C-alpha cells in the first residue's frame, strides 16, 4: 500500500528512533547473562511476618497505579501484563504483540469514549457512531461476533445487535477504567475462545488507584467541562483499608453531552447522551497469599440513536465524501443498562512453586430498551395511529434486547527449576453461556437479532521454558467446544488449537521472536439463525416475498455454518535499553510482521437471487442475503510498530500499523480492514515533573481496497494536545484540545450502493467524528 507524504515523514521519524536502539544492540550478547533476571525473575523468600502485616494486594498493576498517582514518569511497555501468557511479565518482555495503556495516560486524556484511549494503539481501530455510545473494537481487520475478545475485570462482554452498526459492541464508561491491555492476534488463544483477532482486557479502578503509599483511606474527586457542545463530567472514587486484610472501594460517575458539530460545522443529530455509572469492590485476604475480591459495576446510558431527514443543501449532504439520499432513518429513544458482577480468588506466594492460581466467576447483562420516536415518512401503517412500517414498527412502539453472559475462568501456574532451565506450566479452563432474548411490538428486529443460547467451553495447557538468557520457548494447546440452539435450529463443533513461540536472547537489548498460533471462533446466534425481511428507507419497495411477508430482501438462516479458524504466523522484535545518553533515559520498542489465514471466514453474502441460485434463495423470495463461509477463506497481513524514547524531561515515540486483507475467492479487499495510521507522540515534563505537555499527531490514510458496495473511510490528520499540571500534591489540572485542525473525518467504511448515491446516511452522518473540542478538568485528592 502506498503511503502518503505525511505518513512517510512520520514513519521516517519512527525509523530514526528505532535505529537509535539498533546502534546499541551490538552489546546484546555481552549483556545477556547480566540481565537474565529480566526474563525469569526469581521471587525472593520473604522474611517471617505476622499475618496482620500481609501485603495489601496481589494485583500486579498496583505499583504502576501508585506511581501514576504521584506523577512519576514511566515507560508503558514496562508495565506488568498477564494477558498474553497468563503469567506475569513486562509488556516489553512478552514474546507477543502486547500494548498497555496506563492509568497515568488515562488520567491525562479526559476521554469521552473508550476510543479516545486506544485510537493510537497499533493494529487497533474503533467502529463508533456518534449517536451510539457503545464501542466496537477492530484488531488487525477482525471485529464483530466475538472475533475480538473484550473482557472487563475478566468478564466477557458479548453484547451484539444487528443494525446499521457493528455486530458486536460493549458499554464502558472511560472514567471507570484503571488500565488496558491489548494483545493482537490469536497468540493469546489461551485467554479465551473466539479471539482470532485478539484480546482487549480492561481493568476498572480499584483501591490502589486512589490510596497513596501510607494512606488507609482516600478519595479522588474529578470534574471536566468541554466545548462542542455542552460536555461535562463528574466523578468520585474512594477507598478505605479497614485493616491490612480488608479493603473496600466504591465510586460513581455522571456525564452529559449535547449534540456535537463535525469538522465541517455540521451538527450531527442525536450525538448527545447522559451516562451514569457506579462501582463497588470488597477485597478480603483470609490468609497469606490469598485474596478474594467481589466486584460489581452498574452503568446506564440514555441517548437517541438514528438520524432524521435532512434538507437539501445541508452541509453533510454535499461534502466531498459522497452524496446521500436525504430520507433519514428511524429514531429510537434508548436506555441501556449494563451490569457486571465478578467474584475472584487469587493465590500467590513467593516460595510456593506448585500453586499460583487465579479463579473467577462472573455475570454480565446488557439490557437495551428502546421506544421509536421518529420515522422516515408521515404515513400510518396497518392501522397504527402513527407512522411506521413492518420492519421498524410504529412511532411509540417499544422494542428491546437483553443478553446475559455467565462465565468462569480458572487457571494455575506451577514452576520448576532444573539447573539453568526454568519451567512454568500453566493450565486451566474457561467457558461462558450467552442467553439472548428480544421483543418488538410491531417491527421485526427481534427476528433479525434472534433469541437463543450459545455455550462455549474450553481448556488449555501451556509450557513456558527459559534457558539462561539465551532462548525462551512457549508452547501450548487449547481445546474449544461450542453448542448453539434455538427453536429455529442449532449447530455445534469443537477443535484443538496449537501455538508455539520461540524467542532468542530474552532480556537483552534486542529480542527477536517467531510464533505460530491458531484460534477458533464459534459462529454467533445471529450469523447462524438470522431470518426475516428488510425494506428500503421509508418503507417503500416490496420486491421479495420473505417467509414473514414482503420485504426489500430476505435474510436466510444457515444452520450449516462452520466455525472460523485463524492461523497466524508472526515475527517480532523487542527492543529495550536504559542509559543510552544519560543515566536515566530509556528506549522501548516492539515491531512485528504477521500473516493471518482465516479458514471458513464468515461474511454476509448477497444479493443472492432466486434466478441464479434457487437452492439458497428458493422461489418466490427473489433476493436474499445469508451468512456463509467464504470459499478459500480470507488472508490478512500487516506490519506494526510501537516505540518510545524517554529522557525524563522530554519524550518522543511513534506507533503505526499498515495492513491489508482480501477475500481469497474473489481477490477483493475486506471492508473490515481499517485505514493505515501512524501516531507520533512528543512531550516535555517541566518543574520536577509537575507539568507534562504532550501532542499526539495521527496521520490516517483511508483504505480503498474494499468491495464496491462500501464508501471508503476518509484520510485525515488528527492532532490532540494535552497538558497536565500538579500545583500541589493533591491537586491536578488537565487541559486538552482534541482535533486541533478541526478536520472532518470518518474512520471506517460505510455501506452504500455501487454509485454512492444511496449511502446508508444514518451511518455516514453519525460516524463522523467531532470537530475541535476544548476540555478542562480539576481533580482533587483527599486522604489520610
Amino acid at each position: 500500500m502506498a503511503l502518503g507524504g505525511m505518513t512517510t515523514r512520520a514513519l521516517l521519524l519512527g525509523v530514526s528512533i528505532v535505529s537509535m536502539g539498533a546502534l546499541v544492540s551490538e552489546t546484546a550478547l555481552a549483556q545477556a547473562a547480566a540481565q537474565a533476571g529480566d526474563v525469569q525473575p526469581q521471587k525472593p523468600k520473604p522474611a517471617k511476618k505476622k499475618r496482620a502485616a500481609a501485603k495489601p494486594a496481589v494485583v500486579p498493576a498496583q505499583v504502576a497505579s501508585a506511581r501514576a498517582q504521584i506523577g512519576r514518569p514511566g515507560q508503558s511497555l514496562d508495565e506488568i501484563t498477564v494477558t498474553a501468557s497468563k503469567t506475569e511479565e513486562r509488556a516489553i518482555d512478552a514474546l507477543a504483540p502486547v500494548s498497555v495503556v496506563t492509568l497515568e495516560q488515562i488520567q491525562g486524556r479526559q476521554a469521552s469514549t473508550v476510543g479516545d484511549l486506544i485510537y493510537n494503539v497499533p493494529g487497533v481501530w474503533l467502529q463508533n457512531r456518534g449517536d451510539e455510545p457503545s464501542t466496537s473494537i477492530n484488531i488487525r481487520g477482525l471485529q464483530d461476533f466475538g472475533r475480538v475478545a473484550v473482557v472487563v475485570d475478566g468478564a466477557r462482554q458479548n453484547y451484539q445487535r444487528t443494525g446499521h452498526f457493528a455486530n458486536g459492541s460493549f458499554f464502558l464508561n472511560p472514567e471507570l477504567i484503571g488500565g488496558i491491555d491489548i494483545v493482537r492476534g490469536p497468540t493469546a488463544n489461551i485467554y479465551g475462545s473466539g479471539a482470532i483477532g485478539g484480546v482487549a482486557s480492561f481493568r476498572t479502578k480499584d483501591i490502589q488507584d486512589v490510596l497513596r503509599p501510607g494512606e488507609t483511606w482516600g478519595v479522588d474527586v474529578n470534574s471536566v467541562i468541554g466545548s462542542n457542545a455542552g460536555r461535562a463530567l463528574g466523578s468520585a472514587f474512594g477507598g478505605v483499608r479497614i485493616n491490612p486484610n480488608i479493603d473496600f472501594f466504591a465510586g460513581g460517575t455522571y456525564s452529559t453531552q449535547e449534540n456535537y458539530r463535525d469538522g465541517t460545522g455540521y451538527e450531527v443529530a442525536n450525538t448527545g447522551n447522559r451516562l451514569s455509572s457506579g462501582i463497588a469492590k470488597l477485597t478480603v485476604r483470609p490468609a497469606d497469599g490469598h485474596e478474594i475480591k467481589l466486584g460489581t459495576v452498574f452503568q446506564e446510558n440514555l441517548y437517541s440513536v438514528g438520524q432524521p431527514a435532512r434538507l437539501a443543501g445541508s452541509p453533510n449532504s454535499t461534502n466531498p465524501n459522497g452524496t446521500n439520499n436525504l430520507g433519514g432513518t428511524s429514531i429510537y429513544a434508548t436506555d441501556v443498562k449494563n451490569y457486571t458482577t465478578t467474584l475472584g480468588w487469587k493465590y500467590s506466594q513467593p516460595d510456593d512453586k506448585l500453586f499460583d492460581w487465579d479463579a473467577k466467576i462472573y455475570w454480565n447483562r446488557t439490557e437495551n430498551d428502546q421506544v421509536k420516536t421518529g420515522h422516515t415518512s408521515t404515513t400510518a401503517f396497518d392501522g397504527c395511529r402513527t407512522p411506521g412500517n413492518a420492519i421498524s414498527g410504529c412511532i411509540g412502539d417499544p422494542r428491546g434486547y437483553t443478553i446475559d453472559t455467565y462465565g468462569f475462568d480458572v487457571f494455575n501456574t506451577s514452576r520448576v527449576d532444573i539447573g539453568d532451565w526454568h519451567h512454568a506450566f500453566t493450565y486451566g479452563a474457561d467457558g461462558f453461556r450467552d442467553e439472548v432474548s428480544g421483543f418488538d411490538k410491531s417491527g421485526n428486529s427481534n427476528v433479525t437479532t434472534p433469541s437463543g443460547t450459545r455455550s462455549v467451553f474450553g481448556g488449555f495447557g501451556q509450557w513456558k521454558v527459559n534457558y539462561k538468557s539465551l532462548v525462551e520457548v512457549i508452547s501450548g494447546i487449547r481445546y474449544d467446544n461450542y453448542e448453539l440452539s434455538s427453536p429455529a435450529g442449532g449447530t455445534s463443533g469443537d477443535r484443538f488449537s496449537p501455538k508455539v513461540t520461540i524467542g532468542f536472547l530474552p532480556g537483552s537489548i534486542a529480542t527477536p521472536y517467531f510464533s505460530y498460533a491458531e484460534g477458533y471462533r464459534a459462529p454467533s446466534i445471529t450469523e447462524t439463525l438470522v431470518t426475516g425481511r428488510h425494506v428500503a428507507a421509508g418503507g417503500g419497495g416490496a420486491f421479495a416475498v420473505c417467509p414473514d411477508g414482503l420485504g426489500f430482501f430476505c435474510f436466510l438462516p444457515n444452520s450449516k455454518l462452520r466455525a472460523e479458524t485463524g492461523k497466524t504466523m508472526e515475527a517480532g522484535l523487542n527492543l529495550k535499553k536504559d542509559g543510552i545518553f544519560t543515566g536515566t533515559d530509556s528506549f522501548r520498542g516492539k515491531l512485528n510482521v504477521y500473516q493471518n489465514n482465516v479458514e471458513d471466514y464468515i461474511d454476509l453474502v448477497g444479493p443472492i437471487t432466486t434466478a441464479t441460485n434457487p437452492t439458497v434463495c428458493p422461489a418466490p423470495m427473489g433476493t436474499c442475503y445469508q451468512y456463509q463461509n467464504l470459499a478459500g477463506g480470507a488472508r490478512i497481513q500487516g506490519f506494526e510498530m510501537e516505540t518510545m524514547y524517554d529522557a525524563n524531561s522530554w519524550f518522543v515515540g511513534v506507533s503505526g500499523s499498515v495492513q491489508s486483507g482480501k477475500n481469497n475467492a474473489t481477490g477483493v479487499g475486506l471492508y473490515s480492514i481499517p485505514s493505515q495510521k501512524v501516531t507520533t507522540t512528543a512531550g516535555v515534563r517541566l518543574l520536577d515533573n509537575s507539568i507534562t505537555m504532550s501532542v499526539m499527531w495521527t496521520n490516517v490514510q483511508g483504505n480503498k481496497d474494499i468491495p464496491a458496495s462500501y464508501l471508503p473511510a476518509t484520510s485525515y490528520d488528527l492532532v490532540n494536545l494535552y497538558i497536565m499540571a500538579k500545583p500541589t500534591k493533591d491537586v491536578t489540572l488537565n487541559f486538552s484540545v482534541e482535533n486541533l485542525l478541526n478536520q472532518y473525518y470518518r474512520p471506517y467504511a460505510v455501506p452504500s450502493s455501487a454509485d454512492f448515491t444511496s449511502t446508508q446516511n444514518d451511518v455516514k452522518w453519525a460516524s463522523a467524528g467531532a470537530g475541535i473540542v476544548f476540555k478542562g478538568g480539576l481533580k482533587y485528592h483527599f486522604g489520610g
Side-chain angles (χ1 to χ4, degrees), residues 110-126:
Q110 303 186 107
S112 299
T113 68
V114 173
D116 294 339
L117 300 176
I118 59 176
Y119 73 91
N120 62 309
V121 176
V124 177
W125 210 260
L126 291 305

Side-chain angles (χ1 to χ4, degrees), residues 10-32:
L11 278 175
L12 286 175
L13 176 60
V15 171
S16 299
I17 296 174
V18 172
S19 299
M20 181 172 58
L23 289 175
V24 294
S25 64
E26 297 178 358
T27 61
L29 289 172
Q31 295 188 5

Side-chain angles (χ1 to χ4, degrees), residues 343-364:
L343 177 61
W345 178 18
K346 293 182 179 181
Y347 168 76
S348 180
Q349 282 279 63
D351 54 354
D352 191 335
K353 301 292 186 180
L354 186 60
F355 296 107
D356 184 352
W357 76 66
D358 189 329
K360 187 183 300 291
I361 58 175
Y362 62 85
W363 165 65
N364 175 254

Side-chain angles (χ1 to χ4, degrees), residues 451-453 483-492 525 528-529 557-560:
S451 300
T453 61
E483 181 177 351
L484 188 154
S485 63
S486 84
T491 183
S492 62
I525 294 173
T528 307
L529 304 176
N558 186 355
S559 61
K560 297 181 180 180

Side-chain angles (χ1 to χ4, degrees), residues 155-467:
R156 293 285 291 249
Q157 308 292 304
N158 291 345
Y159 174 75
Q160 178 269 320
R161 184 182 71 82
T162 297
H164 293 180
F165 187 48
N167 281 292
S169 59
F170 66 101
F171 294 85
L172 182 60
N173 190 326
E175 187 71 2
L176 294 175
I177 300 174
I180 306 171
D181 287 6
I182 291 180
V183 180
R184 301 179 289 277
T187 185
N189 63 5
I190 66 170
Y191 206 88
S193 177
I196 63 174
V199 176
S201 177
F202 296 86
R203 177 185 68 83
T204 60
K205 290 178 178 177
D206 208 333
I207 191 169
Q208 71 271 7
D209 302 315
V210 175
L211 265 62
R212 296 174 179 175
E215 291 183 341
T216 57
W217 68 273
V219 177
D220 281 347
V221 179
N222 188 33
S223 59
V224 179
I225 58 173
S227 66
N228 191 11
R231 301 165 184 258
L233 176 145
S235 70
F237 298 94
V240 57
R241 186 152 288 139
I242 300 173
N243 61 50
N245 300 306
I246 301 177
D247 298 338
F248 180 73
F249 171 82
T253 75
Y254 180 78
S255 63
T256 179
Q257 174 183 305
E258 305 304 324
N259 292 345
Y260 65 68
R261 295 182 180 273
D262 64 23
T264 67
Y266 182 80
E267 181 178 312
V268 184
N270 295 325
T271 51
N273 54 61
R274 304 289 185 272
L275 310 179
S276 57
S277 61
I279 185 172
K281 296 183 180 181
L282 174 65
T283 305
V284 178
R285 302 174 190 87
D288 284 350
H290 293 266
E291 178 181 278
I292 298 174
K293 186 183 294 289
L294 174 64
T296 185
V297 177
F298 169 76
Q299 303 175 85
E300 184 172 28
N301 299 258
L302 302 174
Y303 60 98
S304 289
V305 62
Q307 295 295 301
R310 302 299 186 218
L311 298 175
S314 295
N316 232 19
S317 66
T318 58
N319 64 35
N321 304 287
T323 57
N324 315 282
N325 71 69
L326 303 176
T329 57
S330 299
I331 299 173
Y332 300 88
T334 304
D335 182 355
V336 173
K337 296 182 180 68
N338 181 272
Y339 310 81
T340 300
T341 298
T342 59
L343 177 61
W345 178 18
K346 293 182 179 181
Y347 168 76
S348 180
Q349 282 279 63
D351 54 354
D352 191 335
K353 301 292 186 180
L354 186 60
F355 296 107
D356 184 352
W357 76 66
D358 189 329
K360 187 183 300 291
I361 58 175
Y362 62 85
W363 165 65
N364 175 254
R365 163 176 284 193
T366 301
E367 297 176 355
N368 188 339
D369 295 316
Q370 298 184 321
V371 176
K372 184 169 181 176
T373 59
H375 190 63
T376 55
S377 71
T378 59
T379 305
F381 164 71
D382 282 356
C384 289
R385 297 178 180 273
T386 57
N389 61 33
I391 301 301
S392 59
C394 299
I395 290 179
D397 282 354
R399 68 180 188 181
Y401 318 87
T402 300
I403 177 170
D404 287 288
T405 300
Y406 306 88
F408 72 94
D409 185 4
V410 57
F411 62 93
N412 181 65
T413 298
S414 301
R415 295 176 174 84
V416 178
D417 295 333
I418 303 176
D420 293 325
W421 294 86
H422 307 287
H423 306 266
F425 300 93
T426 303
Y427 41 90
D430 56 78
F432 62 85
R433 177 181 176 88
D434 290 334
E435 297 181 357
V436 180
S437 62
F439 74 92
D440 193 336
K441 182 177 180 181
S442 58
N444 79 332
S445 62
N446 57 326
V447 177
T448 54
T449 304
S451 300
T453 61
R454 180 177 65 150
S455 298
V456 179
F457 298 96
F460 70 90
Q462 175 185 270
W463 175 35
K464 183 176 182 179
V465 58
N466 179 278
Y467 177 68

Side-chain angles (χ1 to χ4, degrees), residues 498-737:
K499 79 166 185 176
V500 61
T501 302
I502 181 169
F504 301 97
L505 305 176
S508 65
I509 294 174
T511 301
Y513 66 88
F514 307 89
S515 70
Y516 175 80
E518 296 183 2
Y520 184 68
R521 184 187 75 88
S524 70
I525 294 173
T526 292
E527 290 172 302
T528 307
L529 304 176
V530 63
T531 182
R533 51 196 152 138
H534 193 293
V535 298
F543 305 114
V545 181
C546 304
D548 58 348
L550 297 177
F552 185 54
F553 60 81
C554 311
F555 288 109
L556 298 181
N558 186 355
S559 61
K560 297 181 180 180
L561 208 57
R562 299 182 300 277
E564 295 175 338
T565 303
K567 299 180 178 181
T568 297
M569 297 175 289
E570 186 151 1
L573 179 65
N574 295 341
L575 299 169
K576 60 181 179 182
K577 175 63 177 176
D578 295 327
I580 302 174
F581 301 114
T582 69
T584 58
D585 65 346
S586 62
F587 173 79
R588 301 290 184 267
K590 292 179 78 75
L591 298 86
N592 50 283
V593 294
Y594 66 90
Q595 178 175 293
N596 188 359
N597 296 311
V598 185
E599 296 180 357
D600 291 322
Y601 184 83
I602 300 172
D603 202 358
L604 187 63
V605 175
I608 306 167
T609 66
T610 299
T612 59
N613 198 335
T615 302
V616 176
C617 188
M621 292 186 185
T623 305
C624 304
Y625 282 77
Q626 185 183 53
Y627 284 98
Q628 298 180 2
N629 297 106
L630 299 185
R635 173 172 294 178
I636 302 172
Q637 53 195 3
F639 165 76
E640 299 161 345
M641 65 179 293
E642 182 176 7
T643 66
M644 179 60 69
Y645 173 77
D646 194 324
N648 282 314
S649 61
W650 61 276
F651 54 92
V652 61
V654 175
S655 65
S657 52
V658 179
Q659 54 200 329
S660 63
K662 293 186 180 294
N663 178 330
N664 287 337
T666 64
V668 176
L670 302 174
Y671 67 85
S672 62
I673 300 298
S675 304
Q676 54 183 288
K677 65 178 178 180
V678 176
T679 298
T680 302
T681 303
V684 296
R685 302 184 183 98
L686 307 172
L687 302 177
D688 195 25
N689 296 325
S690 62
I691 299 178
T692 302
M693 305 172 63
S694 63
V695 59
M696 296 180 68
W697 162 39
T698 300
N699 175 259
V700 177
Q701 298 295 313
N703 175 31
K704 295 180 173 56
D705 184 17
I706 57 178
S709 58
Y710 282 82
L711 182 68
T714 59
S715 298
Y716 58 92
D717 289 282
L718 184 64
V719 179
N720 294 342
L721 302 178
Y722 304 99
I723 300 175
M724 177 185 288
K726 295 183 69 67
T728 72
K729 67 182 182 67
D730 293 324
V731 176
T732 303
L733 302 175
N734 285 287
F735 177 75
S736 63
V737 183

Side-chain angles (χ1 to χ4, degrees), residues 35-81:
Q35 299 186 16
D38 288 343
V39 181
Q40 190 66 31
Q42 301 300 308
K43 300 180 179 179
K45 293 184 178 181
K48 295 289 185 179
K49 57 185 179 181
K50 297 179 180 179
R51 180 170 166 254
K55 59 183 180 179
V58 183
V59 182
Q62 266 199 322
V63 175
S65 299
R67 180 178 64 201
Q69 287 292 331
I70 59 178
R72 290 175 53 190
Q75 291 271 11
S76 63
L77 288 175
D78 283 342
E79 299 301 314
I80 298 296
T81 181

